[in-house]
Amino acid sequence: MPTPFELASDEAFWADIARRYPRDPQVINLDNGYFGRMSQGVVEAYKQAIDQVNCSNAVHVRELFDTRESLAIRQQLAELMGLPADELAFARSASEALFSLIRNYNRLQPGDQVLISDLDYHAVQDAFRWLAKARGVEVIEIRHAHPASHDALVSAYTDAFVAHPRLRLMALTHVTHRTGLIMPVKAIAQAARAQGIDVVFDGAHSLGQLEVDLADIGIDFAGFNLQKWIGAPLSLGVIHVRRERLQAFDPDMGSQSYPADDIRCLSPYGTPNVPALMALPEVFAEHAAIGGWAVKGARLRYLRDLWVGEARQLPNLEVLTPDDPRLYCGITSLRFTQAADQGAMAARLLNEFGIFTVARSGSACGPCIRVTPGLNTSVADIQALVAALKQLAG
Ligand SMILES: Cc1ncc(COP(=O)(O)O)c(C=O)c1O
């Protein structure tokens, strides 16, 4: 059996995988970080579920889905995530999951401090800032040094813990959406725990392409989605709270749909996308058949290394994400150092070379262009990117 590392460069294996995903021949899409494509198999399962629910309507949903199927699907998710099923609840997105954790956390007192960093997701930052108004807490905002290093990332947090002794809650992003940097989450979570600081863990970009062993990392509260690297239809998120910590939360908006000791009380109330949930058994089966996060992650890193190796040699171009293997995954950002507007350079990549990426800004490392290969990205796509970068960097 080949290792994930060996499979990463097995073009026959990946050509076979790529054939399972639809592809727009007009554009090389290197923004697979927004959301992943569904495979044809998942699309079929999703369509069948739509037809079934549309036909049997509330009868199926009330009689079977709500009572049995949804629990069986959650059990499968629990197996994929290595967590007890009763520590997981479905939400409609990672944002919704994280917002629920942030607004329903009941341990904050006026005068407490909460912490975010410049590399956290903007909507998570906003939700933490909202806590200032809603709970009377002080929001501490740290900025990470650029270029990032493992030790500097950890010490940015440990320094903040010393400087702000009233810290009670913090955000921690596993993979930042700005540059694809992997945070040294285990060391940071351990340091937070030692100070009695609770952590809201944002795994939106990690689940499915990295190992996410929450017990090992030391995480009690987390939010995810399933559409980026697991391969699910849009509209599915996941809330995790370790069983022993559920008392740190109130049911969302006072909901009485589930008792306070059932994690589903944290799911914002509303009718979910039932057909999307019903497609999950096919999604999980395909994720496992490819080889799970280990094989997906190794391929994405392989493709990333192909272009980054060349891009680092180019003049007028900076690759922002470090090459420390602990700190990067398939997502990496670059900057044209002579260009005033990275958005305009992303537009040139699209208009002149047919390569779609996304400009990102808002972090201390400055504006950049994020490049994210996907499971149907070929080596030829990456070579096209490198050729375009060479021309644009001059
Ligand atoms: C780091 C990070 N957190 C949270 C989210 C929000 O995920 P969702 O779109 O499922 O709400 C994203 C989305 O891109 C993200 O990149």
Side-chain angles (χ1 to χ4, degrees):
M1 188 64 189
T3 64
F5 180 74
E6 288 161 350
L7 275 181
S9 57
D10 181 339
E11 294 313 313
F13 176 84
W14 287 102
D16 183 45
I17 302 281
R19 273 191 286 277
R20 302 177 200 172
Y21 291 86
R23 183 179 163 126
D24 175 357
Q26 308 294 324
V27 181
I28 296 174
N29 182 354
L30 293 178
D31 182 24
N32 294 275
Y34 187 0
F35 57 94
R37 275 185 197 77
M38 292 177 275
S39 72
Q40 299 287 10
V42 170
V43 169
E44 282 314 312
Y46 191 20
K47 282 181 181 164
Q48 274 180 25
I50 290 171
D51 286 344
Q52 189 180 354
V53 170
N54 201 42
C55 175
S56 64
N57 190 262
V59 181
H60 179 93
V61 176
R62 285 197 200 281
E63 295 291 311
L64 275 173
F65 181 80
D66 286 350
T67 51
R68 274 184 276 156
E69 283 177 3
S70 61
L71 291 176
I73 294 166
R74 184 174 71 159
Q75 180 60 41
Q76 289 186 18
L77 174 68
E79 282 156 25
L80 184 150
M81 296 183 72
L83 291 168
D86 67 357
E87 295 188 356
L88 296 172
F90 286 110
R92 296 184 196 83
S93 66
S95 302
E96 195 183 77
L98 293 161
F99 292 167
S100 177
L101 293 171
I102 295 163
R103 72 170 166 261
N104 294 310
Y105 180 72
N106 61 20
R107 298 292 147 105
L108 293 175
Q109 302 293 331
D112 285 346
Q113 294 167 321
V114 299
L115 179 107
I116 51 178
S117 91
D118 64 313
L119 292 177
D120 293 320
Y121 193 59
H122 60 90
V124 171
Q125 294 170 338
D126 291 344
F128 266 78
R129 291 184 189 120
W130 169 86
L131 288 172
K133 218 184 327 172
R135 306 276 181 269
V137 298
E138 182 189 357
V139 184
I140 308 298
E141 305 201 15
I142 59 170
R143 289 168 81 77
H144 289 288
H146 176 72
S149 73
H150 180 280
D151 293 353
L153 288 164
V154 177
S155 58
Y157 286 95
T158 51
D159 290 352
F161 298 165
V162 173
H164 306 288
R166 286 177 288 117
L167 274 171
R168 191 86 187 92
L169 184 71
M170 60 176 272
L172 181 58
T173 307
H174 199 177
V175 173
T176 166
H177 73 296
R178 294 202 168 81
T179 62
L181 183 78
I182 301 178
M183 283 286 168
V185 286
K186 188 170 175 178
I188 296 166
Q190 273 174 1
R193 181 166 296 228
Q195 298 294 320
I197 302 166
D198 279 329
V199 173
V200 175
F201 181 88
D202 177 351
H205 260 300
S206 54
L207 190 67
Q209 70 154 326
L210 290 183
E211 181 170 29
V212 183
D213 182 341
L214 294 181
D216 179 60
I217 301 169
I219 294 298
D220 291 346
F221 320 143
F224 303 92
N225 60 37
L226 299 176
Q227 79 261 10
K228 287 192 194 292
W229 300 108
I230 296 289
L234 288 167
S235 76
L236 300 178
V238 180
I239 302 170
H240 162 71
V241 177
R242 194 160 62 81
R243 193 181 292 133
E244 294 74 18
R245 298 300 318 279
L246 196 52
Q247 288 166 349
F249 297 88
D250 293 332
D252 187 51
M253 307 299 291
S255 171
Q256 303 211 357
S257 302
Y258 293 99
D261 62 356
D262 183 327
I263 189 173
R264 288 175 293 176
C265 75
L266 286 177
S267 289
Y269 185 78
T271 308
N273 185 344
V274 174
L277 289 161
M278 286 170 65
L280 284 180
E282 175 65 19
V283 172
F284 298 153
E286 290 191 13
H287 179 72
I290 287 183
W293 65 266
V295 169
K296 287 183 179 176
R299 171 65 172 179
L300 295 170
R301 268 196 311 279
Y302 170 75
L303 294 172
R304 177 268 186 201
D305 286 343
L306 281 184
W307 75 262
V308 168
E310 301 240 24
R312 289 229 192 262
Q313 313 305 320
L314 296 178
N316 309 325
L317 193 145
E318 182 189 3
V319 176
L320 273 64
T321 321
D323 284 336
D324 180 337
R326 296 170 296 179
L327 299 183
Y328 78 87
C329 56
I331 310 167
T332 281
S333 290
L334 62 91
R335 174 162 51 230
F336 292 97
T337 53
Q338 304 295 313
D341 182 350
Q342 300 303 312
M345 295 307 285
R348 286 189 66 188
L349 272 172
L350 179 61
N351 298 332
E352 296 172 32
F353 302 93
I355 296 174
F356 190 73
T357 54
V358 63
R360 285 269 161 258
S361 60
S363 53
C365 63
C368 54
I369 296 174
R370 188 182 76 185
V371 177
T372 314
L375 300 183
N376 67 353
T377 302
S378 65
V379 169
D381 295 334
I382 297 297
Q383 285 165 345
L385 172 70
V386 170
L389 295 180
K390 281 183 179 163
Q391 283 203 43
L392 288 176

